[in-house]
Amino acid sequence: MMLTKSIVLIGMPGSGKSTVGKALARKYDVDFCDTDNLIIENTGESLQDTLDRLGRDGFLEEERQALLGYTPSKPQVIATGGSVVLHDDAMQHLKSIGTVIFLDADLPLIKKRLWNIDTRGIVFNSNEDDVIGVYREREPLYYKYSDARVHIRGKRIANIIDAIDAIVEK
């Protein structure tokens, strides 16, 4: 099957967006973009270094500008940073170029996967500095902006891709 528009993957840090995204891009034989890499290219430093240097608000603005400035010339698979949902205008832009799919990982799975939370470049909300606070802030936004949701708990990548195929084929 050929993609007619991009697939945009959103979800919490550790939900597998990049891993699933790369596998999807291989399957569809299209380019893959990890939007975290757009920030790294723009700043010339790691996400954590950018976050440390600019602070939460500065990092979020850097992310927002990178997303608003990104429009692929042909369909591709796009894996976003977990905080992308904090930008309404950037999410509207992504929705205009692709089908937005929420890779829904539950909190215990996310906590298990985020063993490197202090160096991963995760934007915590202003009131709480832990994964639970980030989850509480973002989960409703993932639902708000997604066109479809795929539960990932207990699924292999092949099963997740099959679920995304069913969504894209509709």
Side-chain angles (χ1 to χ4, degrees):
M1 182 174 82
M2 188 154 169
L3 285 183
T4 56
K5 64 185 204 174
S6 293
I7 297 172
V8 180
L9 302 175
I10 65 172
M12 281 288 290
S15 63
K17 299 178 299 288
S18 294
T19 302
V20 171
K22 289 174 187 172
L24 274 171
R26 279 192 302 275
K27 176 183 178 168
Y28 287 112
D29 194 26
V30 297
D31 290 336
F32 170 74
C33 174
D34 184 327
T35 63
D36 284 346
N37 290 335
L38 298 175
I39 299 167
I40 292 166
E41 288 169 15
N42 289 347
T43 63
E45 60 191 4
S46 73
L47 294 177
Q48 187 63 54
D49 288 345
T50 301
L51 183 58
D52 292 343
R53 180 173 56 83
L54 298 177
R56 180 185 195 273
D57 293 342
F59 180 91
L60 289 173
E61 184 58 24
E62 184 73 36
E63 178 179 53
R64 182 179 161 274
Q65 291 299 326
L67 290 165
L68 289 173
Y70 186 72
T71 304
S73 59
K74 58 187 180 193
Q76 62 181 227
V77 178
I78 302 168
T80 65
S83 55
V84 68
V85 293
L86 300 176
H87 313 286
D88 181 69
D89 54 352
M91 284 307 306
Q92 295 306 327
H93 173 64
L94 291 171
K95 286 177 78 64
S96 75
I97 62 176
T99 301
V100 178
I101 299 173
F102 170 27
L103 295 185
D104 190 359
D106 59 33
L107 190 55
L109 179 60
I110 292 165
K111 288 173 89 173
K112 179 180 170 186
R113 288 183 175 180
L114 292 182
W115 54 269
N116 58 345
I117 195 165
D118 294 329
T119 59
R120 195 172 168 127
I122 295 173
V123 178
F124 293 103
N125 71 24
S126 50
N127 301 338
E128 301 175 62
D129 62 352
D130 64 0
V131 176
I132 295 169
V134 172
Y135 187 83
R136 263 192 230 124
E137 178 184 36
R138 296 182 189 174
E139 186 187 34
L141 297 172
Y142 295 132
Y143 283 104
K144 174 182 177 180
Y145 291 115
S146 63
D147 296 310
R149 176 180 65 171
V150 175
H151 292 280
I152 66 162
R153 165 90 61 201
K155 292 184 180 168
R156 295 180 159 178
I157 290 177
N159 302 117
I160 295 167
I161 289 173
D162 288 345
I164 292 171
D165 283 344
I167 293 162
V168 172
E169 288 177 8
K170 287 183 179 177

